[in-house]
């Protein structure tokens, strides 16, 4: 058996401790599977005195993660500090320059600085692995980079923020408005310190940007992701969508279109009986479509100690086995800068309009939709909602987003709406 | 860029031609992702004159697959002939001895002879990859061998024969008996020449045996798989199960129990709203449970030219990238022979009893169940089925299979049954 692979772990939060526990619990199994022992040499975290749920006495303690990144007895630097800059980025760069491979769970860092980091690593002959950065324990990076390597990827989709899916699911099951469930989630500790990272779609957007890069051979570009959070999803829309056979999900979609690379993370309707529609609670799902494989669906826990540590371990075992792949699946120097593009793929849309309850109101709406070139698949008018308004739901036939934009702008000018129209794309899944 | 990886392909059926097409269509993409060109040197099939949907003129034709297996200008022998012995096995062994790596889609061969083949390959420093052997385009071998390498796998389950799932789904949706749908499937060309491979559960059993070996570090042992096909699944049971909130699937389950390794492929009930319960038609699904990752669900096409060729290509790219793993994820020489065991995991069971419509019949049944130590979760008696019989459904609380055996043996002795009792395990998913 070969010499051990020696790890230095920086960051001993939930994930870091999860990794330590797996290494302690399964040392023999990991050695068998890796072909060599995998050991921890040094660990580092902010507060040495903090009570942690693991025995760290066998490992050298470093107050400074930089000392781990440069330690001569460390082969792989495991960065679990987090954050898109500062010590996380600095220590990774230092580790690469010191000849270490890097394993990280840091989605923000990769989404924002993945390209220069990949170029640096590859120029030094080092690898950076990051299975845990996207969708926790779900093997999505490996599936896309390796299992689907024979495919031109045509579309990647995913529900990749468990907190948002929890909130949307709970709104439906409890019939509660967004604000109430948001408050519940906060009290349950489900939200980040800055909750807009979750509910604003930013965390999920980071993940989508990483997947896009691998899928389409483009430089990772978080800035090009169109992002909309779940804050404006109303309980009304959740109920109405359900009536029409749909569920609302914070769905990331990336696809290469004739106009360029479309990347969007926004609330969408999906059929209630599709795998994405049936996903409840904090579970994640990634859907990958390739020209040969068709559609592959991957489902699992997107967060938590065990699942995330499991993903980190898959990267560590990969390096222990001597597997050395380019960071984004093909050489970083050859990745092209994608032309960001709004979707060029027609879709059905859901619209909810609150109309004045007076003769001719519906005719005016229908005229605007007709002028926009939008044809209607289904329309439902409900009984009076408040004294002076009636909700009208429209599901359109497939149409271009520009037509929807035109309608959304023109509809208020009819003078028959009592509130702003709501539109949500119905993603074909 | 390194020297090309040179393939020799033996077998030009659906999958072989699919692989050729991908290599032709995506030569540049594959070179980029593999770090080197991937080329075809030689091909072989039974009938050179057969009209095939691909231009093979650039490749050397060999009538004898052995010539491909030994050709000096072939690095990887791609065996797509099929069959659990004969030329498939001989040519693989010859290729390994000639210093070639091997990629195959041959589940029967691996299930029946995987252990000696793996030992041979590893003693020669060669690899055998077989992603396409299990669940077509779904990356289950790679996920289990690599992505979940940090986990002790606790259970593997799967719907891995699309034809059986098509038949069961179609029985439910069309309300047709097994025989009628079997005949439909035959006319649609969904069945193997020997249909018992499909409906008898043998094909799916091969796949389960392969997954078990990787999951539990045991020598692949198809003989130890308890197999029951779908022939005895009646339309009555499908309807009754649905009434109780379940669907019937041909489900493979492997788990390590205190008694030994349990491997069974049999019709089971699963909750209708679970991912497995919602799987309709020919799609496959594999569920893997690990001690850290929790439950991972993988879903996709289990057969067909594109999906299966996609899986073969993932193996080819892996070898092109220089990745060299043990055949079953850890050295074959260290794999232990598993003690086969009947399930030791208690479960709820579904029972359908056709009772004589006379006083005291139900009491006699309840007495037998009580004597067996089986406690009843739900019971439903339906209206008369035929003049002299009433169907009674029982869903038990969790119980050991031995108790069910006792009851199934004792129930006919009550004298109140008009036909043999039916029992199906309800798998907790």
């Amino acid at each position: 058996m070969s010499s051990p692979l020696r790890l230095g772990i920086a960051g001993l939060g939930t994930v870091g401790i999860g990794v330590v526990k797996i290494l302690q619990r399964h040392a023999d199994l990991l050695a068998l599977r890796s072909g060599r022992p995998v050991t921890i040499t040094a660990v580092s975290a902010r507060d040495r005195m903090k009570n942690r749920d693991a025995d760290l006495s066998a490992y050298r303690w470093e107050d400074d993660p930089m000392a781990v990144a440069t330690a001569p007895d460390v082969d792989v630097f495991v960065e679990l500090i987090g954050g898109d800059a500062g010590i996380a980025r600095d220590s990774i760069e230092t580790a690469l320059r010191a000849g270490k491979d890097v394993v990280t769970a840091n989605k923000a860092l990769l989404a924002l600085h993945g390209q220069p980091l990949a170029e640096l690593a590859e120029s030094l002959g080092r690898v950076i692995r990051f299975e845990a950065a996207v969708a926790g324990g779900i093997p999505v990076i490996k599936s896309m980079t390796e299992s689907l390597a024979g495919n031109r990827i045509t579309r990647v989709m995913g529900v990749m923020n468990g907190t948002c899916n929890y909130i949307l699911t709970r709104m439906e099951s409890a019939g509660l408005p967004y604000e109430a469930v948001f408050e519940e989630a906060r009290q349950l500790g489900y939200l980040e310190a800055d909750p807009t990272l979750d509910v604003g779609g930013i965390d999920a957007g980071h993940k989508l940007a990483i997947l896009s890069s691998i899928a389409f051979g483009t430089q990772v570009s978080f800035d090009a992701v169109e992002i909309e959070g779940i804050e404006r999803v109303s309980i009304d829309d959740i109920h109405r969508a359900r009536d029409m056979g749909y569920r609302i999900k914070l769905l990331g979609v990336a696809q290469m279109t004739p106009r360029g690379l479309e990347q969007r993370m926004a609330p969408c309707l999906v059929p209630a009986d599709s795998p994405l529609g049936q996903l409840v609670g904090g579970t994640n799902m990634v859907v990958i479509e390739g020209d040969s494989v068709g559609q592959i669906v991957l489902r699992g826990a997107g967060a938590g100690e065990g699942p995330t540590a499991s993903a980190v371990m898959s990267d560590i075992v990969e390096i222990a086995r001597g597997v050395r792949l380019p960071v984004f699946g093909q050489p970083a120097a050859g990745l092209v800068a994608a032309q960001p593009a709004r979707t060029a793929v027609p879709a059905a849309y859901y619209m909810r309009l609150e109309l004045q309850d007076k003769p001719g109101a519906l005719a005016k709406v229908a005229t605007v939709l007709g002028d926009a070139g939008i044809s209607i698949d289904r329309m439902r008018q409900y009984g009076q909602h408040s004294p002076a308004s009636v909700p009208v739901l429209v599901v359109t036939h497939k149409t271009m987003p520009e037509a929807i934009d035109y309608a959304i702008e023109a509809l208020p000018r009819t003078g028959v709406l009592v509130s702003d129209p709501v539109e949500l794309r119905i993603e074909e899944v």
Side-chain angles (χ1 to χ4, degrees), chain A:
Chain A
M1 190 160 284
S2 325
S3 58
L5 184 80
R6 301 163 302 173
L7 311 176
I9 301 178
L12 293 169
T14 310
V15 182
I17 291 299
V19 171
V20 169
K21 283 194 212 162
I22 292 179
L23 284 159
Q24 292 177 346
R25 189 165 70 237
H26 291 325
D28 293 346
L29 194 59
L30 289 164
L32 209 53
R33 290 175 177 169
S34 305
R36 58 199 288 203
V38 180
T39 60
I40 301 173
T41 310
V43 295
S44 173
R46 224 166 4 207
D47 177 3
R48 183 169 190 172
M49 291 306 133
K50 188 174 160 188
N51 188 22
R52 294 184 173 88
D53 180 26
D55 177 6
L56 304 172
S57 59
Y59 320 128
R60 187 169 72 248
W61 181 274
E62 299 284 2
D63 286 322
D64 183 359
M66 286 298 196
V68 178
T70 55
D73 58 358
V74 163
D75 304 309
V76 177
F77 181 66
V78 183
E79 184 276 308
L80 301 170
I81 302 167
D84 62 41
I87 188 66
R89 182 174 186 181
D90 293 348
S91 62
I92 286 178
E93 290 180 354
T94 300
L96 292 170
R97 291 208 173 86
K100 322 296 184 201
D101 294 320
V102 170
V103 170
T104 177
N106 194 327
K107 63 212 87 163
L109 183 63
L110 283 158
L112 295 169
H113 310 295
Q115 182 62 24
L117 280 171
E119 288 180 18
L120 176 66
E122 290 170 25
S123 72
L124 295 164
R126 295 292 111 204
V127 301
I128 304 177
R129 301 315 299 150
F130 51 93
E131 183 64 78
V134 180
I138 302 178
V140 56
I141 302 295
K142 191 171 272 289
S143 290
M144 197 131 65
T145 316
E146 304 179 43
S147 302
L148 304 181
N151 289 261
R152 187 172 294 284
I153 302 296
T154 48
R155 185 168 62 157
V156 181
M157 296 186 286
V159 168
M160 297 183 282
N161 182 284
T163 303
C164 288
N165 204 50
Y166 166 81
I167 290 175
L168 294 173
T169 307
R170 171 90 180 132
M171 284 171 70
E172 177 175 342
S173 63
L176 289 170
Y178 174 77
E179 294 72 19
V181 177
F182 177 88
E183 200 42 47
E184 272 187 12
R186 186 204 292 279
Q187 280 167 19
L188 289 165
Y190 288 1
L191 288 162
E192 304 263 356
D194 174 3
T196 57
L197 285 177
D198 284 321
V199 297
I202 296 168
D203 166 83
H206 287 149
K207 296 168 183 167
L208 185 68
I210 295 170
L211 293 187
S212 293
S213 171
I214 300 171
F216 304 107
T218 51
Q219 295 180 1
V220 60
S221 173
F222 171 69
D223 291 345
V225 183
E226 259 182 63
I227 295 185
E228 186 188 321
I230 60 169
E231 302 96 330
R232 77 166 177 125
V233 175
S234 73
I235 181 70
D236 270 2
D237 288 315
I238 286 178
H239 286 151
R240 302 304 187 201
R242 187 178 56 189
D243 287 354
M244 308 289 262
Y246 299 101
R247 287 222 170 79
I248 301 179
K249 297 287 167 191
L250 178 64
L251 185 69
V253 179
Q255 54 195 333
M256 189 60 79
T257 76
R259 295 186 194 172
L261 178 61
E262 169 191 346
Q263 299 182 84
R264 60 196 151 80
M265 178 59 67
C268 286
L269 270 62
V270 294
D273 61 358
S274 64
L276 281 164
Q278 288 160 350
L279 193 72
V280 297
T283 311
N284 282 18
M285 181 173 284
V286 181
V287 178
I288 312 172
E289 292 169 352
D291 63 348
S292 288
V293 79
Q295 188 184 73
I296 293 285
V297 179
L298 311 173
R299 180 187 195 274
E305 177 184 307
T308 314
S310 166
V312 171
M313 284 310 307
S314 86
D315 289 339
I316 291 170
V317 170
E318 180 177 308
I319 293 173
R321 283 168 163 167
V323 177
R324 306 192 68 77
L325 302 182
V327 178
F328 290 102
Q330 59 189 70
L335 296 172
V336 295
Q339 174 68 35
R342 201 171 170 215
T343 186
V345 181
Y349 281 79
Y350 158 99
M351 304 177 87
R352 179 169 56 84
L353 311 170
E354 300 288 334
L355 301 193
Q356 292 172 11
D357 190 9
K358 65 181 187 189
L362 201 56
K364 286 191 179 171
V365 164
T367 303
V368 168
L369 296 180
D371 290 348
I374 295 171
S375 103
I376 296 170
D377 177 27
R378 286 183 286 161
M379 181 183 273
R380 278 191 199 172
Q381 180 173 327
Y382 288 79
Q384 273 203 1
H385 193 234
S386 61
S389 92
V390 279
V392 170
L393 293 197
V394 176
V395 171
T396 74
H397 279 295
K398 279 193 191 179
T399 183
M400 290 296 286
E402 288 74 8
I404 298 293
D405 291 347
Y406 171 90
I408 292 297
E409 209 188 291
L411 280 166
R413 290 200 299 265
T414 58
V416 300
L417 269 65
V418 301
S419 60
D420 285 342
V422 172
E423 54 83 14
L424 288 162
R425 187 176 167 100
I426 303 176
E427 194 67 30
E428 240 183 292
V429 299

